[in-house]
Amino acid sequence: MVKLMNKPSDDELKYKSKKLFYGRDLEDYVTNSVFNDWCRFNFVERGVKEKIEKGRMYKAWFEYYDASDTMDSSCKYVIYYIEEVPEDIEKAYNDWKINEQKVKDYLFN
């Protein structure tokens, strides 16, 4: 596994949100093209964005912010720590999502 960031202490990460992301989902994107609102991914260490591979899965500790103005759809993720997910966990996650969809299809059709 490639080291992407220096890991903060457990106390520093304790109250951060955690989520699995694919690298392609960690790229800035436009949320509203009419008003040029963006969702940005900011990393507390420089050079991390360039190391992320689009097809890899990552576990990220972050804080999420959105605009207080309901007409503003911009948002921001501040990534405090990120690491590659082991292949067996990525496979388990993908299998779980497939099976979750099968159950939903059965339940609601």
Side-chain angles (χ1 to χ4, degrees), residues 21-107:
F21 291 92
Y22 274 99
R24 62 182 165 267
D25 299 325
L26 292 165
E27 296 179 350
D28 298 346
Y29 62 91
V30 176
T31 60
N32 183 327
S33 60
V34 174
F35 297 107
N36 199 29
D37 295 340
W38 282 79
C39 187
R40 306 273 186 199
F41 290 85
N42 300 318
F43 295 82
V44 295
E45 287 184 24
R46 291 181 180 259
V48 176
K49 257 187 186 181
E50 294 76 24
K51 297 178 189 175
I52 292 176
E53 299 176 36
K54 292 181 185 205
R56 290 279 318 176
M57 182 176 273
Y58 299 91
K59 180 179 178 182
W61 285 255
F62 65 93
E63 288 181 342
Y64 173 81
Y65 301 92
D66 59 7
S68 58
D69 180 354
T70 56
M71 296 300 291
D72 185 346
S73 62
S74 58
C75 62
K76 175 174 69 171
Y77 287 84
V78 177
I79 310 292
Y80 290 91
Y81 183 66
I82 189 168
E83 64 187 24
E84 290 182 0
V85 171
E87 288 182 19
D88 61 323
I89 299 298
E90 182 176 351
K91 182 183 179 334
Y93 175 83
N94 289 329
D95 291 347
W96 169 58
K97 293 305 276 182
I98 289 168
N99 289 322
E100 179 185 38
Q101 189 58 51
K102 283 182 186 178
V103 171
K104 285 180 181 178
D105 290 346
Y106 172 75
L107 187 60

